Amino acid sequence: MFSNSSKYAIKAVLYLSLHSNSTRKIMAKDIAQPINVPPAYIAKLLQELVRTDLVSSVRGPKGGFFMSKENNNQKVIDVLNVIDGEKKFTGCLLSLEACNEEKPCPLHNILSTSRQHMIKVLNEHSIADLALAVKNGKAYLPL
Amino acid sequence: MFSNSSKYAIKAVLYLSLHSNSTRKIMAKDIAQPINVPPAYIAKLLQELVRTDLVSSVRGPKGGFFMSKENNNQKVIDVLNVIDGEKKFTGCLLSLEACNEEKPCPLHNILSTSRQHMIKVLNEHSIADLALAVKNGKAYLPL
DNA sequence: GAAATAATATGATAAAAATCATATTTAGGA
DNA sequence: TCCTAAATATGATTTTTATCATATTATTTC
């Protein structure tokens, strides 16, 4: 459904949302272990997330990654769009160039509703929302 | 969302549903062109679909691929399961081993409904249903 | 301002998915 | 029975994705 990269990115951003802030930064290697992602890989993903303003960072000693208030308010779909690209959600389900609402492909026809709903939900929930669910014991991050 | 292979498989199966039957078989290369998929690739995919009883075939002269009545009644999700595997739909959205309904991951939490709906729809519609929509002008297969 | 630390940029390698190629088997027709 | 046509099995190649490694740059602290 989502690529490994996207899953890793979501996990990293969630971890940062739960454990970091502007005065409490976390190094790439210290994020990698708890979310079970290769350190070098998560480092590369984090760089991309920093470039696109989804995560904040400071170099040098006492530096690291963290989530600012603005970062926390970004929507879940923003992370997915940066890593997997928008077409993943908006593109035709059969990759037909000429597929659209007026002339939908057969899959579009039957899946359009649930897909729209999916996009809506990802658009409505911020990273902070997901983190809050974890804090409240309504969602979990095991292993 | 779906892999190229899955998209190709759906397109091939739809094409066969619309243009073939037990007395009108179609060769791999004659399927490849209209659905815009590499001939050798679609041939390989068709073999897998035949092995799993989603498509029928006859070798030799006058042979080819076709959809039997049973083939046409298979559900869309069956094709996707064969090509992409079931985990694509049932697996945790963050690939967490211990994620489940009782202890859902944050993504599971917000996407579960639309995902369930998606699976339901794919389970309810047969290949024939999709083909019918095309015949009735309710769905299209451009390019 | 020098030393140490941590992100950044860049590129190399490995694994998986997609694509291509071909020898083998089966079925039909002369 | 022999030739041809078509699927099948198998494997090679290419492309993409995932993973690993390292030299460079920025920042803090002494």
Side-chain angles (χ1 to χ4, degrees):
Chain A
M1 188 120 249
F2 303 129
S3 68
N4 271 0
S5 293
S6 273
K7 292 174 183 174
Y8 293 171
I10 295 280
K11 290 203 286 181
V13 153
L14 267 179
Y15 184 83
L16 283 172
S17 184
L18 286 165
H19 299 103
S20 81
N21 56 57
S22 51
T23 63
R24 181 188 176 83
K25 295 154 201 124
I26 308 180
M27 287 189 286
K29 62 178 170 127
D30 292 331
I31 300 169
Q33 207 203 358
I35 67 174
N36 194 34
V37 171
Y41 196 20
I42 202 61
K44 204 169 200 176
L45 284 176
L46 283 169
Q47 293 171 206
E48 195 168 353
L49 294 171
V50 169
R51 244 183 283 122
T52 51
D53 291 319
L54 292 164
V55 168
S56 301
S57 69
V58 172
R59 298 192 200 190
K62 297 284 168 188
F65 297 92
F66 68 97
M67 298 286 279
S68 69
K69 189 166 184 178
E70 293 78 47
N71 296 148
N72 273 308
N73 284 331
Q74 293 284 88
K75 306 304 181 188
V76 179
I77 201 164
D78 296 327
V79 177
L80 299 173
N81 280 341
V82 162
I83 305 297
D84 279 354
E86 311 210 2
K87 275 174 294 183
K88 184 132 199 172
F89 294 108
T90 56
C92 169
L93 289 159
L94 290 179
S95 297
L96 302 174
E97 199 56 56
C99 171
N100 56 53
E101 277 309 321
E102 286 82 47
K103 293 202 158 199
C105 76
L107 276 191
H108 185 117
N109 240 5
I110 63 172
L111 291 181
S112 180
T113 304
S114 40
R115 211 180 181 208
Q116 291 295 333
H117 186 250
M118 197 169 219
I119 295 171
K120 185 162 179 283
V121 162
L122 292 170
N123 248 309
E124 284 172 351
H125 288 81
S126 65
I127 306 300
D129 293 335
L130 296 201
L132 187 62
V134 174
K135 275 188 207 143
N136 291 343
K138 292 181 177 164
Y140 302 83
L141 288 169
L143 192 114
Chain B
M1 186 120 251
F2 303 129
S3 69
N4 272 359
S5 292
S6 274
K7 292 174 182 174
Y8 292 172
I10 296 279
K11 290 203 286 180
V13 153
L14 267 178
Y15 185 83
L16 283 172
S17 184
L18 286 166
H19 299 103
S20 81
N21 56 57
S22 52
T23 63
R24 181 187 175 82
K25 297 156 200 121
I26 309 181
M27 288 189 285
K29 61 175 170 128
D30 291 331
I31 300 169
Q33 206 204 358
I35 67 174
N36 194 34
V37 172
Y41 196 19
I42 201 62
K44 205 169 199 175
L45 284 175
L46 282 168
Q47 292 170 206
E48 196 169 353
L49 294 172
V50 168
R51 244 183 283 121
T52 51
D53 291 320
L54 292 165
V55 168
S56 302
S57 70
V58 172
R59 297 193 199 190
K62 297 285 166 185
F65 298 92
F66 68 98
M67 298 287 279
S68 69
K69 190 166 184 178
E70 295 77 46
N71 296 148
N72 273 309
N73 284 331
Q74 294 284 88
K75 306 305 181 188
V76 179
I77 201 165
D78 296 326
V79 177
L80 299 173
N81 280 341
V82 162
I83 306 295
D84 279 353
E86 311 210 3
K87 274 173 296 182
K88 185 132 199 173
F89 294 108
T90 56
C92 169
L93 289 160
L94 290 180
S95 297
L96 303 175
E97 200 56 55
C99 170
N100 57 52
E101 277 308 321
E102 286 82 47
K103 293 201 159 201
C105 75
L107 276 192
H108 185 118
N109 240 5
I110 64 172
L111 292 180
S112 179
T113 305
S114 40
R115 211 180 180 208
Q116 291 295 332
H117 186 251
M118 196 169 220
I119 294 171
K120 184 162 179 282
V121 162
L122 291 171
N123 248 309
E124 285 172 350
H125 288 80
S126 65
I127 306 300
D129 293 335
L130 297 201
L132 188 62
V134 175
K135 275 187 207 146
N136 290 345
K138 292 180 178 166
Y140 302 83
L141 289 169
L143 193 106

